[in-house]
Amino acid sequence: MIRWPTRRRSRLLLGTMMVVAAGVGLVLIAYLTPLMAVRSTEIRENGSVPSDEILAAAAVAPGTPLLQVDTKSVAQRIATIPSVESVRVQRSYPSTLRITVKERVPVVIVKAGDEVHVLDRSGVSFLHYDKTQGVPPEVLKLPVLETPKAGPADPTTREAIAAVDGLPDSLREQVIRVRAQSPVDITFLLTENRRVIWGDADRGAEKARTLTYLLRREATEYNVTSPEFPAYK
């Protein structure tokens, strides 16, 4: 067995301790001092949600050491903004906090008395307006969903929204109203008083192609529940 000389072992131990101490020191510097603190916050992919609103919800004071920023808690606070679907918060050394948001996409509206509710792709109602106080024109352009129990937990709501969301822009712009009594009983009311019997949300791309072709025929009702056997009258 090889025995290291006592002096050499001491130097090796001392060197190891110095490396460990230096590492601990760097961590303490990063955690406790402003050398690696938040000097800027970068917000990405927000459109309708103002950056100032995101910053206010994040509530991270400038100068806070990055290692002291609880990114999970920051993300949870930002996620309380109704129009934010999800958010990711990252530390970007040496001194930047990066916030990436995914905003909810409006698909349909639901009218209840004087109230207008905007629903996203999941059926979540995230914006609310009072008709007596005015509703933005872009909101009123969205299709009106008519279903017994609109909401994210309702299968009929989810199927109806999936059907609308899957339409190409050229068709979606013509949809005024969506009526859904069940997940397999979805009907679109189009401009020029035209009615489309859609069925369920399955095979949406095929149905959309068939409907695009059928709309060249003058009619008041189109049935694409079976896109290979469409009908109109």
Side-chain angles (χ1 to χ4, degrees):
M1 182 174 62
I2 299 176
R3 296 182 179 275
W4 296 97
T6 301
R7 183 176 298 176
R8 188 172 181 181
R9 281 185 294 169
S10 297
R11 287 201 299 269
L12 182 61
L13 179 60
L14 179 60
T16 302
M17 293 176 63
M18 290 176 65
V19 170
V20 172
V24 172
L26 288 174
V27 171
L28 289 175
I29 289 172
Y31 190 82
L32 298 174
T33 72
L35 292 179
M36 299 180 77
V38 178
R39 290 187 176 86
S40 64
T41 301
E42 178 183 343
I43 300 176
R44 295 182 170 184
E45 300 182 21
N46 63 311
S48 62
V49 182
S51 296
D52 289 347
E53 184 176 359
I54 295 173
L55 288 172
V60 177
T64 302
L66 276 174
L67 283 178
Q68 291 187 26
V69 176
D70 186 340
T71 56
K72 182 178 180 181
S73 295
V74 173
Q76 289 174 340
R77 291 195 292 271
I78 297 172
T80 61
I81 299 174
S83 294
V84 172
E85 181 177 326
S86 62
V87 59
R88 184 181 183 186
V89 180
Q90 300 167 286
R91 303 181 188 93
S92 180
Y93 294 99
S95 58
T96 300
L97 191 67
R98 181 178 298 137
I99 299 173
T100 305
V101 299
K102 180 180 179 182
E103 296 184 350
R104 297 187 186 278
V105 177
V107 180
V108 298
I109 59 177
V110 173
K111 295 182 178 180
D114 288 333
E115 295 183 343
V116 175
H117 305 273
V118 181
L119 275 59
D120 72 353
R121 295 169 178 170
S122 301
V124 174
S125 176
F126 67 100
L127 291 175
H128 314 276
Y129 299 94
D130 186 333
K131 288 192 291 186
T132 62
Q133 298 178 4
V135 182
E138 62 272 17
V139 171
L140 293 176
K141 289 181 181 179
L142 294 170
V144 177
L145 173 63
E146 295 179 350
T147 192
K149 298 179 181 179
D154 176 46
T156 302
T157 298
R158 293 198 301 268
E159 284 289 300
I161 289 177
V164 175
D165 194 43
L167 293 174
D169 291 343
S170 58
L171 289 178
R172 191 185 307 117
E173 291 169 355
Q174 300 181 59
V175 180
I176 297 174
R177 197 171 299 272
V178 185
R179 290 174 177 164
Q181 294 301 315
S182 75
V184 297
D185 182 14
I186 300 169
T187 299
F188 297 148
L189 298 182
L190 307 185
T191 56
E192 300 178 6
N193 200 31
R194 295 168 296 171
R195 181 170 178 260
V196 178
I197 302 174
W198 192 262
D200 57 25
D202 291 344
R203 305 174 66 185
E206 296 175 59
K207 292 178 181 180
R209 284 194 297 268
T210 299
L211 180 58
T212 299
Y213 175 78
L214 283 183
L215 289 177
R216 300 172 186 172
R217 272 65 175 169
E218 187 173 343
T220 57
E221 183 176 287
Y222 305 86
N223 190 325
V224 293
T225 52
S226 296
E228 66 272 35
F229 300 111
Y232 62 95
K233 62 182 180 180

